[in-house]
Amino acid sequence: MKKLQAIRGMNDLLPDESGQWQYLENTLKSILQQYSYREIRFPIVESTELFKRSIGEVTDIVEKEMYTFDDRNGDSLTLRPEGTASCVRACEQHGLLYNQTQRLWYMGPMFRHERPQKGRYRQFHQLGVEVFGMTGPDIDAEVLLLSARMLRALGVADQVTLQLNSLGSSEARAAYKTALVDYLSQYREQLDEDSQRRLTSNPLRILDSKNPDTQKILDGAPVLLEHLDEASAAHFEHLKAMLTEAGVPFEVNPRLVRGLDYYGKTAFEWVTDALGAQGTVCAGGRYDGLVEQLGGKPTPAIGFGIGLERLLLLLQATGQLPEGLDRRTQVYLVAVGEVQSSAMRSAERLRDALPGLQLLAHCGGGSFKSQMKKADKSGADIALILGEDEARNGQLSLKYLREDRPQETLSLDQTIEQLRAYWPALSNL
Ligand code: ATP
Ligand code: MG
C-alpha cells in the first residue's frame, strides 16, 4: 500500500520544534498585549467572492494561488490566502466598525498554491495586525513601532531593515499608472513576460519585478513618490518624522508596492538578506478603501502580516533562540510492582503541590531497569521511585540522574520540599 504523506508544501510541526513556535508566538502576543491590541479569530474558509472582491482579480493570489473548491451544495469556497479580507468581513458582519476604532490581531494558517521552497509554503502561518477607524499618520507610526518592538524582542532588529513607501491616493496612483505605462510601453519587447502581461492588467506590480533587464528599464521610469497627491505627501512626511523621532531607522524604497490591490498611502516591508530570496518577513500598509469596497462605510485602516515561518528561520539562522525551549520532563516517576493506584495518587498530589513541575508518570509496568532507562532517556533530572516498600510506608525514593548524589527515601511532603529546593523557580509559580 502506498504510504500516506502530507500534502506538498504543508508541514507537520513535530514536538521537538513546537517549543520554538510557542516561544515565538508568546513573545509576539506579549507585545500585542503591551499595546492593548485584541485578538480576533475567524474561519479558515470563506466564500471565494470575498477574496476576489478584496484582493483583486488580477493579483498573483487570485489568479493562481488560491485553494478554491465547490462545497457539496455547489458554493465556491476558498481556504484563506491571507487574513485582512476575512478580518474586515467579520468586523463588518458584527458591527465592530460602526463609530469606533479597533486595534486587532490574529494568528493562524494561510493557504497559497505556490512552488514550495525555503520560506515559501502552501500552508504557512501569519500573525496579522489590523487597525480600523484612524486616518493616521500617528497610528501608522504606532503600528510600525509595534512591529519594530517585536523584532527587537526577538533579537533580530539588526538583521532587518524597514522599507517604506507611499502609494498615494487612488487618483494619484491612477495618474502615475498612466505615466508608468507610457514610459514602459516604449520598451515593451525588452520586458520580461510577466511584466508585459502586467502592462495592461496591473502595471504597478512591474515595479517589483526581480528580472534584471526589467529592473534596468525601471531605473529610468517615473517615480511614484513624485506623483503623490498633497495629502499623501504630507502624511508620508509626518510619518517619517515620527519614526525618526522615535529612533526607528527606515529606508525609503520608491519601488515598493504591495501585491494586493487594496493598499494606498503608507506601504512597508521589513526585509532581511539572511534568508535568500524569501527575505520579506513582515509586510503591510494602509488600505483606506477596502471596507467600503466590501460594502461597509468608508473606514480608514492599516495593518501588516508577519510570515511566522520566515521569522523563525531568521531566528534559527542568527542563533537567536534561547536555550531550553525544548522543555522536557523534569521528574520521572518510576512505579515498580503492584503500585499503580498509589503511583497515580502520588503523581496527582505532586502536581497539586507543584503546578510548575513537569512530571512524567510511567505507565504500562515493566522492570525497574527498563523504567530507569526510560527515565534517563526522558531527560529528567530526578527519578522518583515507588516500589512496594515505599508504597507501604507512604514514601518515595528520590534518585538524582544527572549528578553524583546519594539516593534518599522521603515522605511525600519531604519530597515536595526537596523538589522545591532543587528548582527554586517552582516556588514562584
Ligand atoms: P512574497 O512576495 O514573498 O510572495 P507576498 O507579498 O505574497 O510575499 P503578503 O501577502 O504580503 O506576501 O504576506 C505577508 C507575509 O507573509 C510575507 O511577507 C511573508 O513573510 C509571508 N508569506 C507570504 N506568502 C508566504 C508563503 N507562501 N510561505 C511562507 N510565508 C509567506
Ligand atoms: Mg506572494
Side-chain angles (χ1 to χ4, degrees):
M1 222 196 332
K2 202 173 145 224
K3 258 205 195 146
L4 293 171
Q5 298 256 325
I7 307 301
R8 205 162 93 85
M10 304 202 179
N11 300 316
D12 297 309
L13 174 61
L14 302 180
D16 278 350
E17 305 156 289
S18 53
Q20 299 184 3
W21 276 85
Q22 286 165 4
Y23 162 74
L24 177 62
E25 292 166 357
N26 291 339
T27 306
L28 297 172
K29 281 185 203 171
S30 71
I31 288 165
L32 290 157
Q33 212 156 26
Q34 279 195 286
Y35 284 76
S36 213
Y37 283 47
R38 297 164 77 209
E39 184 181 8
I40 182 168
R41 298 189 189 191
F42 33 79
I44 58 169
V45 181
E46 297 272 355
S47 73
T48 303
E49 190 60 23
L50 172 66
F51 301 115
K52 283 197 176 162
R53 265 171 56 189
S54 56
I55 297 169
E57 297 270 2
V58 290
T59 55
D60 283 353
I61 292 181
V62 173
E63 275 183 340
K64 50 190 187 199
E65 295 174 1
M66 292 204 307
Y67 278 92
T68 297
F69 60 97
D70 282 344
D71 195 0
R72 286 181 189 275
N73 43 21
D75 301 327
S76 179
L77 306 183
T78 293
L79 298 186
R80 62 183 189 196
E82 54 109 38
T84 307
S86 313
C87 187
V88 169
R89 198 268 311 135
C91 286
E92 264 303 308
Q93 185 173 337
H94 301 285
L96 300 191
L97 303 183
Y98 188 73
N99 270 348
Q100 55 198 311
T101 59
Q102 296 287 351
R103 288 171 166 86
L104 305 173
W105 67 269
Y106 50 84
M107 209 179 310
M110 305 293 163
F111 303 84
R112 298 185 192 177
H113 196 274
E114 306 195 64
R115 193 168 68 78
Q117 52 198 291
K118 185 180 162 208
R120 193 177 292 284
Y121 313 99
R122 291 181 172 172
Q123 174 175 335
F124 62 100
H125 296 78
Q126 273 187 358
L127 164 72
V129 162
E130 316 287 354
V131 170
F132 298 98
M134 288 161 276
T135 52
D138 49 357
I139 187 67
D140 306 37
E142 176 179 292
V143 160
L144 284 165
L145 290 176
L146 163 70
S147 60
R149 187 179 293 272
M150 288 175 165
L151 296 163
R152 275 204 309 278
L154 293 166
V156 292
D158 55 351
Q159 299 292 328
V160 288
T161 43
L162 173 60
Q163 301 206 340
L164 203 59
N165 194 16
S166 175
L167 306 177
S169 65
S170 54
E171 297 77 27
R173 228 160 33 249
Y176 172 71
K177 259 183 213 170
T178 311
L180 182 66
V181 170
D182 281 351
Y183 169 81
L184 290 174
S185 297
Q186 312 168 64
Y187 305 97
R188 170 182 282 276
E189 300 313 315
Q190 287 127 273
L191 294 175
D192 62 277
E193 216 176 291
D194 262 350
S195 298
Q196 288 189 12
R197 212 165 37 83
R198 286 181 170 143
L199 214 43
T200 43
S201 64
N202 194 353
L204 280 189
R205 281 294 298 215
I206 300 174
L207 292 179
D208 64 9
S209 165
K210 306 282 181 288
N211 182 289
D213 296 328
T214 301
Q215 284 189 346
K216 221 171 281 153
I217 296 169
L218 283 170
D219 287 340
V223 177
L224 177 53
L225 276 178
E226 289 164 9
H227 285 71
L228 289 190
D229 52 298
E230 230 171 88
S232 298
H235 187 112
F236 195 46
E237 288 311 313
H238 199 163
L239 173 60
K240 287 190 293 182
M242 278 190 285
L243 290 176
T244 304
E245 177 145 347
V248 177
F250 58 86
E251 269 172 23
V252 172
N253 175 359
R255 285 200 202 156
L256 183 118
V257 286
R258 306 284 308 115
L260 293 69
D261 268 0
Y262 50 64
Y263 287 97
K265 287 191 178 158
T266 309
F268 60 89
E269 288 188 0
W270 287 96
V271 294
T272 175
D273 38 43
L275 295 180
Q278 271 60 250
T280 304
V281 292
C282 170
R286 182 162 280 283
Y287 52 95
D288 293 344
L290 181 62
V291 177
E292 191 179 14
Q293 194 179 312
L294 290 176
K297 286 219 177 93
T299 306
I302 183 167
F304 65 76
I306 294 182
L308 295 181
E309 281 83 0
R310 289 189 196 173
L311 190 50
L312 192 58
L313 281 170
L314 183 59
L315 297 193
Q316 288 164 348
T318 55
Q320 285 300 330
L321 286 162
E323 297 275 299
L325 289 178
D326 186 17
R327 273 187 57 188
R328 288 182 166 244
T329 306
Q330 292 172 293
V331 170
Y332 194 104
L333 180 65
V334 168
V336 200
E338 291 304 312
V339 296
Q340 267 104 340
S341 56
S342 168
M344 201 66 77
R345 208 166 47 241
S346 305
E348 286 302 305
R349 286 191 54 192
L350 287 164
R351 292 180 182 121
D352 289 340
L354 303 166
L357 181 71
Q358 299 206 29
L359 170 69
L360 195 151
H362 182 85
C363 287
S367 70
F368 174 74
K369 200 168 154 208
S370 81
Q371 290 192 38
M372 284 306 287
K373 249 194 202 145
K374 288 186 175 130
D376 185 46
K377 222 175 138 204
S378 76
D381 298 291
I382 289 175
L384 291 177
I385 302 154
L386 185 75
E388 283 168 1
D389 283 350
E390 284 93 346
R392 209 171 307 116
N393 302 327
Q395 291 177 316
L396 290 159
S397 291
L398 192 153
K399 185 171 170 56
Y400 296 91
L401 299 174
R402 314 286 159 201
E403 55 188 309
D404 203 8
R405 259 167 86 167
Q407 181 169 322
E408 304 165 75
T409 298
L410 307 167
S411 71
L412 192 72
D413 285 341
Q414 288 171 327
T415 305
I416 291 166
E417 281 323 302
Q418 196 61 19
L419 295 176
R420 277 213 182 100
Y422 194 80
W423 285 290
L426 289 177
S427 310
N428 302 329
L429 285 162

